[in-house]
Amino acid sequence: MPHAQPPFTVREAVVDFLRRSGMTAVFGNPGSTELPLFRDFPADFRYVTALQESLVVGMADGYAQATGRAAFVNLHSAAGVGHALGNLYTAYRNQTPLVITAGQQVRSMLGMEPFLFAEDAAQFPKPYVKWSVEPATAADVPAAIARARYIAEQAPFGPTFVSIPADDWEQPADPVPHRTVSRSLRGDAAMLAQLAQALAAAEKPVFVAGSGVSRDGAYAVLTRLAEKHEAPVWTAPRTARAAFPESHRLFAGFLPNSRETVAACLGGHDLIVVFGAPVFTYHMVGTGPCIPAGATLFQLGDNPGQAAWAAGGTAIVTSLQPAIEELLAAEYPVVARLPRQGRGSPPVLESTGDGVGVAWLMSRLAALRPADSLLVEEAPSSRALMQRHLPVDREDGFFTCASGGLGHGLPAAVGVALARPQQRTLALMGDGSSLYSIQALWTAAQWQVPLTVVIVRNGSYASLLEFANHFGLPAAEGIALPALDFVQLATGFGVPAQRVVRRQDRDAALVAAFAATGPALVEVVV
Ligand SMILES: Cc1ncc(C[n+]2csc(CCOP(=O)(O)OP(=O)(O)O)c2C)c(N)n1
């Protein structure tokens, strides 16, 4: 691709910077305020259209997480940014690096509130962006996009926002200079030495691992550290990425989500070390201590905010990989500990009756999916059975949203599949959850991504019934989802689909959906 020569236009300077940054995928949904970006759209770039801005951000989020680099997003001005806010909130909670740009009306019109005007454009996405700007002049746009990228990729990763008036793209601008900006943090050496000593001396240490582990590429080193100290490892509450190999004998399970239940799981340990997770993310209200009596707490992670509000103990702000390497290298004499027995393999399920149960579906998915496949999940009431029967043993093997905001999973799965064309992505979706972003199937079909979508068709927002019970309600309004046909929906978007009702039909449908080259969907009635 021939590079433009100075003097550059804003567009040429931005394209040049994005190319040098490896950000040649543009996730967007275009409008009149964005069209000038597309003049001479470079042949080495790809524009990935999603059919609503919330999906644009969800797709870019999956793509950025699977590549480990910031993804570039272009939204339509005020209304498009509005649509995107739900998944922007999720990207912020996921700590996903995104450079989000949005169109704005031309500068000379802004004083008269023109059609498509974005008022206080840089305010609109706050507080769920790390940095937000509408540059003062057109010539400032390329440098602002560069700054947005470097901030997005500094720990803690997260989204940034640049509002760009439509006439800026044709204006002259300087190219962005070449720079190298560090992405990782080195924790305080004295505090790490203190932790290394505490680890060596503890009678019964326990680890809690969160999404930061795989985000930092620390999965393998954390496994070695757990083995060195014979420490059981729990996954932190509401963890959104793979944190520890779930078939490993030291894997203790998934922490629940209230004070009392978390403290009960960690009880009896004298040292608790949390890696790459807040202390703690609760969903249910609770009382009593967050940390069991008699335990010392350390937290390691790259998010200074989370360090500041942790429930107690010592917080070390650091990237995990170098910190864990340092702990592994420490040579304090380690107290002898008995080797821990694992939780055992998932139980073998009896094949009785004609219908398909969720547990059985999960165990068949575990058996039939390609070993290197990536799992994206948004199926709330199926999650516990997925965790029991569909273990994840790869660092890049699991993605869900850290926010609890539905509508992220299906577009994120398309983004993961776009980033990983050599592997198959499995999107495990609740029927209700899938409908927040169902038109992601169209993008999957257009790009023929290797994606298998399994819809758990239980006909309701089943998890809300569980919550209704929690609040002492006998029932809940608005949770039934009758009269939906996912086979017709999928085929309407260009994705081949099958419905499975009986056990004996299920394996064949799943095998076919995993063997497809492009996307395929199976609606499993449970
Ligand atoms: C954006 C958003 N809206 C509403 C909710 C509330 N909510 C939580 S779980 C759930 C039901 C999801 O239904 P489904 O995907 O069918 O899964 P199931 O509960 O049946 O397992 C809803 C609506 C939410 N989490 N996010």
Side-chain angles (χ1 to χ4, degrees):
M1 186 70 201
H3 291 211
Q5 297 300 316
F8 282 5
T9 62
V10 168
R11 187 181 52 253
E12 287 164 343
V14 169
V15 164
D16 173 62
F17 173 74
L18 294 178
R19 183 182 286 121
R20 282 187 279 126
S21 305
M23 297 167 77
T24 54
V26 177
F27 293 86
N29 186 272
S32 57
T33 44
E34 294 74 48
L35 290 179
L37 165 62
F38 303 135
R39 194 187 303 279
D40 306 323
F41 193 70
D44 57 331
F45 277 48
R46 53 180 172 169
Y47 185 90
V48 179
T49 308
L51 299 179
Q52 206 254 32
E53 287 82 355
S54 153
L55 286 81
V56 173
V57 172
M59 256 171 233
D61 182 321
Y63 187 85
Q65 290 200 62
T67 58
R69 289 195 313 269
F72 188 77
V73 172
N74 187 242
L75 303 176
H76 185 49
S77 59
V81 176
H83 285 165
L85 289 181
N87 273 336
L88 174 64
Y89 167 62
T90 292
Y92 184 77
R93 296 289 298 232
N94 282 356
Q95 289 188 209
T96 301
L98 296 178
V99 174
I100 300 179
T101 59
Q104 166 68 297
Q105 260 298 6
V106 302
R107 287 184 188 267
S108 59
M109 295 168 72
L110 295 183
M112 295 179 66
E113 301 209 357
F115 196 60
L116 305 182
F117 174 50
E119 182 156 338
D120 285 340
Q123 293 296 326
F124 197 11
K126 289 180 181 174
Y128 299 116
V129 283
K130 291 176 67 186
W131 184 66
S132 184
V133 72
E134 187 169 272
T137 71
D140 296 327
V141 168
I145 287 177
R147 182 169 169 181
R149 177 211 153 181
Y150 294 123
I151 293 176
E153 289 186 347
Q154 273 163 26
F157 290 175
T160 53
F161 182 80
V162 186
S163 166
I164 306 171
D167 52 340
D168 281 7
W169 294 105
E170 311 296 345
Q171 305 302 314
D174 289 334
V176 177
H178 177 76
R179 287 188 287 152
T180 306
V181 180
S182 76
R183 290 165 41 120
S184 67
L185 297 170
R186 279 289 170 136
D188 184 286
M191 290 171 97
L192 281 170
Q194 192 193 341
L195 169 57
Q197 268 172 340
L199 261 174
E203 297 285 334
K204 282 194 76 186
V206 64
F207 291 177
V208 176
S211 308
V213 173
S214 49
R215 209 173 35 239
D216 261 12
Y219 196 79
V221 284
L222 180 66
T223 306
R224 278 172 43 218
L225 191 71
E227 288 165 353
K228 175 178 175 184
H229 292 284
E230 204 53 45
V233 183
W234 290 89
T235 295
R238 316 297 323 190
T239 286
R241 299 274 300 259
F244 193 78
E246 293 163 19
S247 304
H248 195 287
R249 70 180 173 82
L250 288 170
F251 183 61
F254 299 86
L255 282 180
N257 57 17
S258 71
R259 276 185 187 214
E260 298 87 339
T261 51
V262 171
C265 289
L266 301 177
H269 291 281
D270 55 346
L271 176 66
I272 301 168
V273 190
V274 178
F275 296 90
V279 181
F280 290 104
T281 305
Y282 301 121
H283 188 173
M284 302 296 194
V285 66
T287 52
C290 297
I291 306 301
T296 302
L297 169 71
F298 281 83
Q299 178 199 30
L300 281 76
D302 64 8
N303 191 320
Q306 289 173 2
W309 65 253
T314 302
I316 307 175
V317 180
T318 182
S319 296
L320 291 184
Q321 233 253 344
I324 296 173
E325 295 277 10
E326 230 168 293
L327 294 172
L328 277 169
E331 285 179 357
Y332 301 105
V334 175
V335 165
R337 297 172 193 127
L338 286 177
R340 188 190 143 87
Q341 302 299 314
R343 300 195 308 163
S345 309
V348 177
L349 298 170
E350 299 276 315
S351 171
T352 54
D354 229 15
V356 180
V358 176
W360 225 60
L361 171 62
M362 297 304 150
S363 67
R364 295 317 294 155
L365 287 173
L368 298 172
R369 73 182 182 127
D372 66 349
S373 56
L374 310 165
L375 174 61
V376 181
E377 175 262 335
E378 194 173 284
S381 73
S382 304
R383 179 180 266 200
L385 289 168
M386 175 199 76
Q387 289 172 335
R388 186 77 191 107
H389 297 283
L390 185 48
V392 173
D393 289 307
R394 298 171 59 91
E395 179 170 68
D396 60 359
F398 182 69
F399 304 87
T400 189
C401 70
S403 64
L406 303 178
H408 171 263
L410 200 52
V414 175
V416 169
L418 275 165
R420 297 294 186 87
Q422 309 302 339
Q423 288 158 271
R424 201 141 184 101
T425 297
L426 164 60
L428 181 63
M429 300 294 306
D431 46 4
S433 297
S434 70
L435 291 167
Y436 289 78
S437 312
I438 193 73
Q439 62 279 46
L441 292 175
W442 177 83
T443 307
Q446 291 302 306
W447 289 90
Q448 283 297 298
V449 292
L451 174 68
T452 299
V453 181
V454 172
I455 304 277
V456 183
R457 177 76 177 121
N458 60 14
S460 70
Y461 288 156
S463 47
L464 294 189
L465 201 54
E466 293 168 15
F467 273 100
N469 294 336
H470 171 77
F471 289 118
L473 305 172
E477 296 302 313
I479 64 168
L481 298 174
L484 286 160
D485 185 332
F486 287 88
V487 174
Q488 286 200 42
L489 280 168
T491 44
F493 286 118
V495 172
Q498 290 193 61
R499 177 177 303 113
V500 171
V501 179
R502 301 182 314 162
R503 266 178 199 232
Q504 53 266 46
D505 303 329
R506 193 219 34 231
D507 274 14
L510 294 177
V511 167
F514 285 127
T517 46
L521 180 143
V522 186
E523 174 186 346
V524 183
V525 180
V526 295

